[in-house]
Amino acid sequence: MSVLILDFGSQFTQLIARRVREHKVYCEIKPCTETPDKGEFEAIILSGGPSSVTDPDSPQFDTGWFSVGLPILGVCYGMQLMAHHLGGELSKGESREYGQSFIDLVGESPLFHGVPSSRVWMSHGDHIKSLPKGFNTIAKSVGAPIAAMANLEKKMFAVQFHPEVVHTQFGREILGNFLFRIAQCKPVWTAGNFIEETVERLKREVPNDAHAICALSGGVDSTVAATLVSKALGKRLHCIFVDNGLLRKDEGDKVEKAVSDIGLQVKRVNAQERFLSALKGITDPEEKRKIIGRVFIEVFDEETKRIPEAQYLVQGTLYPDVIESVSVRGPSATIKTHHNVGGLPPDMKLKLIEPLRELFKDEVRVIGRELEVPTQILERQPFPGPGLAIRILGEVTDERLRILKDVDAIFLEEIREAGLYRTLWQSFAVLLPIQSVGVMGDGRTYEMTAALRAVTSEDGMTADWVYLPDELLRTASNRIINEVKGVNRVVLDISSKPPATIEWE
Ligand code: XMP
């Protein structure tokens, strides 16, 4: 049993799914063009969306969903859609509300059980002017005289604000009320259940003599995926760790040790020289990425051929990689290609096993913890596939790699020392192809520049630069210039994304 979230294109649709799952209720996001079918669902949530319900090109929707007999919660656009199709009236763009607002509750409603009049987060141009038949107003705000409505008999509820964003003070409680008081869902979606079900399913679906391979990077996703699959396949899972030499300082050894400690059967392929010689003389960022992708395919393909009994390929694809960010356009819209999926051989005749494809990153961490994957891997900051090559601007050489690894290691050490590693989305150093004049002792220097970057982010799509403590910056800069030969200047990157990107290339 699960909750269905119909996606009308809101940037918060995934957040609704996350919040529902935080209540231990499984849910799935489907495009709003989905044909009505009660299926195994126990409730429906209609997401927000950027359109106006009355626009000619507003997303398609089959009103048959209103008659499948399931409890429905409309959020923002979802509410307007309900009002529009069920006989209410909308007011277009007269009193917009963006950001913080306050709702006053009207009467009693199970949706607001235990919730007081409180702060909410709004983002709407249109609002509802008159209620559809059978509905009552259950909350109002300054900009929306009908900020929430309910038809108790039909178990239809709608809110103009976004309960899924943290700025809505009692958002969690409101969603919980819908799931448990109204839709009678059971909180049974737990890490333990997920692991048990997945292992059983894999044992059932993968033949007893079939082998699988997995490209392990040492990141959270591939490690958790491999650990989960190994519980079903044991030694029939062969992990391949391609060390491209572009990892952080000592990272190759750390990854190898950590994954072996978990009990995974891992083969490390030291392909540093192959990657570096392919990158020789290359300065264009896109070309670097393509070369790294190509060499990775070659190496991985060669290794795969050594395991001819393999019929399956395990990948750590996550839910956000699977669902379409623009599913409002319907099933025909292209699915976002995973950064790393692009890096696998196109003609590989292996069947895919993607045990995490229904999960969000934070859920993967919870599963990983349950599987006893070391914290060091679970809490690792994201690291790009092309590695340090896209953090060395200009040509990637042995010497530049050595310099960047040392600079980056010092910066990370200081970040960890300050207790900031886990709170940051990413923190790293970049080596610039710029030399500048300096003075060390009594001598003139003419050396390279390192840039430090620390950002917070929810998902890497947008990011904010972080105001690091003076003391940390001072120590990091001093240590880098004193300890790393070849660098005489350290600068700080204070650009957000957009318009900058997180990585420099
Ligand atoms: P940008 O630089 O586009 O990066 O703001 C967004 C996030 O994606 C990571 N990134 C990559 N990850 N392969 C990956 O696995 C890649 O080619 C790649 N490029 C960027 C980046 O580190 C950031 O977290």
Side-chain angles (χ1 to χ4, degrees):
M1 296 300 279
S2 71
V3 169
L4 168 69
I5 300 169
L6 285 179
D7 179 22
F8 294 90
S10 162
Q11 52 178 322
F12 301 125
T13 305
Q14 290 198 24
L15 211 49
I16 302 180
R18 247 162 89 164
R19 297 289 176 254
V20 170
R21 297 213 199 154
E22 278 167 14
H23 279 294
K24 300 193 168 43
V25 173
Y26 181 60
C27 63
E28 282 175 47
I29 302 175
K30 301 251 183 199
C32 56
T33 47
E34 196 78 359
T35 314
D37 178 10
K38 190 172 176 187
E40 297 274 285
F41 298 115
E42 44 194 348
I44 304 170
I45 299 179
L46 307 175
S47 86
S51 311
S52 244
V53 175
T54 48
D55 282 353
D57 58 351
S58 64
Q60 293 168 38
F61 170 73
D62 189 329
T63 52
W65 281 112
F66 292 131
S67 346
V68 292
L70 292 172
I72 298 183
L73 174 67
V75 172
C76 194
Y77 180 89
M79 174 177 188
Q80 294 164 8
L81 191 81
M82 285 166 77
H84 179 67
H85 289 296
L86 297 170
E89 205 186 335
L90 289 182
S91 153
K92 264 186 81 86
E94 276 165 24
S95 57
R96 298 151 174 268
E97 273 180 306
Y98 292 101
Q100 180 169 295
S101 182
F102 289 88
I103 50 162
D104 271 326
L105 302 188
V106 181
E108 297 256 315
S109 158
L111 191 66
F112 295 132
H113 176 88
V115 173
S117 291
S118 49
R119 193 183 70 231
V120 297
W121 200 82
M122 294 272 195
S123 176
H124 67 100
D126 304 347
H127 70 258
I128 290 156
K129 205 152 78 179
S130 71
L131 290 165
K133 199 158 161 268
F135 279 79
N136 291 320
T137 301
I138 52 171
K140 55 186 184 171
S141 75
V142 176
I146 305 174
M149 61 180 192
N151 179 335
L152 266 186
E153 192 194 324
K154 296 214 156 127
K155 294 197 174 181
M156 287 188 188
F157 294 79
V159 290
Q160 184 56 72
F161 57 89
H162 289 269
E164 69 276 20
V165 305
V166 288
H167 314 289
T168 294
Q169 217 174 342
F170 292 91
R172 190 187 149 77
E173 289 75 4
I174 295 167
L175 275 177
N177 284 339
F178 175 69
L179 297 172
F180 303 122
R181 286 185 178 274
I182 296 161
Q184 317 289 328
C185 298
K186 302 267 175 315
V188 291
W189 169 255
T190 61
N193 284 349
F194 173 82
I195 293 170
E196 209 175 294
E197 277 170 26
T198 309
V199 171
E200 271 170 29
R201 183 170 50 80
L202 288 172
K203 280 185 175 163
R204 233 181 10 249
E205 288 175 6
V206 178
N208 276 340
D209 56 348
H211 288 239
I213 46 172
C214 176
L216 208 60
S217 69
V220 183
D221 309 342
S222 62
T223 311
V224 173
T227 310
L228 193 53
V229 174
S230 77
K231 278 182 93 72
L233 270 69
K235 294 289 175 207
R236 286 183 290 134
L237 174 67
H238 309 262
C239 300
I240 298 165
F241 166 44
V242 177
D243 185 347
N244 57 14
L246 304 167
L247 302 175
R248 291 181 135 161
K249 191 173 183 178
D250 302 328
E251 195 83 353
D253 297 342
K254 285 186 204 158
V255 168
E256 188 182 14
K257 178 165 182 335
V259 293
S260 307
D261 285 352
I262 299 174
L264 292 173
Q265 180 175 237
V266 192
K267 175 168 182 200
R268 173 175 177 176
V269 187
N270 290 315
Q272 292 92 324
E273 276 168 25
R274 213 157 142 178
F275 279 89
L276 272 189
S277 70
L279 286 168
K280 203 169 162 45
I282 307 297
T283 56
D284 179 72
E286 272 314 297
E287 214 172 320
K288 282 186 195 171
R289 280 174 179 273
K290 281 190 193 134
I291 289 171
I292 293 165
R294 175 176 53 78
V295 178
F296 178 84
I297 289 177
E298 287 167 13
V299 175
F300 192 71
D301 216 14
E302 285 165 21
E303 290 306 319
T304 307
K305 290 206 172 82
R306 290 181 218 272
I307 312 169
E309 62 276 30
Q311 296 171 26
Y312 289 85
L313 177 70
V314 178
Q315 281 191 340
T317 316
L318 304 192
Y319 201 42
D321 308 319
V322 175
I323 58 168
E324 308 154 340
S325 46
V326 283
S327 51
V328 276
R329 285 197 219 125
S332 61
T334 42
I335 293 181
K336 215 163 77 178
T337 23
H338 194 279
H339 269 315
N340 300 325
V341 173
L344 287 169
D347 58 346
M348 216 176 225
K349 303 258 175 335
L350 300 169
K351 285 174 243 156
L352 277 184
I353 299 179
E354 296 177 313
L356 311 178
R357 61 181 283 129
E358 290 159 356
L359 304 184
F360 291 105
K361 192 97 177 178
D362 39 359
E363 293 172 326
V364 174
R365 291 204 168 97
V366 175
I367 304 287
R369 225 166 280 135
E370 187 88 10
L371 288 167
E372 294 179 7
V373 170
T375 323
Q376 164 209 341
I377 289 184
L378 295 181
E379 288 173 358
R380 197 170 170 229
Q381 291 176 353
F383 187 74
L388 299 184
I390 56 167
R391 294 178 180 170
I392 293 175
L393 276 64
E395 190 185 356
V396 182
T397 62
D398 265 335
E399 173 68 357
R400 289 178 168 190
L401 253 179
R402 183 213 37 98
I403 293 177
L404 180 58
K405 282 185 184 181
D406 286 346
V407 172
D408 183 71
I410 293 173
F411 183 44
L412 265 201
E413 245 175 70
E414 294 302 327
I415 290 276
R416 285 185 196 276
E417 182 72 18
L420 291 175
Y421 181 82
R422 281 183 55 193
T423 62
L424 299 173
W425 170 260
Q426 276 172 302
S427 45
F428 57 88
V430 180
L431 192 65
L432 309 188
I434 296 171
Q435 280 173 287
S436 70
V437 175
V439 53
M440 271 185 171
D442 289 328
R444 176 188 191 271
T445 58
Y446 188 56
E447 290 175 340
M448 303 238 265
T449 307
L452 306 182
R453 181 131 174 87
V455 295
T456 50
S457 173
E458 274 271 315
D459 49 15
M461 304 295 281
T462 61
D464 268 333
W465 62 274
V466 173
Y467 207 104
L468 294 172
D470 289 2
E471 205 39 48
L472 185 164
L473 290 173
R474 201 175 295 282
T475 315
S477 161
N478 274 344
R479 282 194 56 200
I480 290 166
I481 294 174
N482 286 328
E483 294 174 31
V484 186
K485 196 164 164 288
V487 173
N488 69 350
R489 198 172 290 270
V490 175
V491 298
L492 184 63
D493 181 351
I494 51 168
S495 340
S496 290
K497 173 185 180 177
T501 52
I502 297 177
E503 304 292 345
W504 279 46
E505 289 195 336

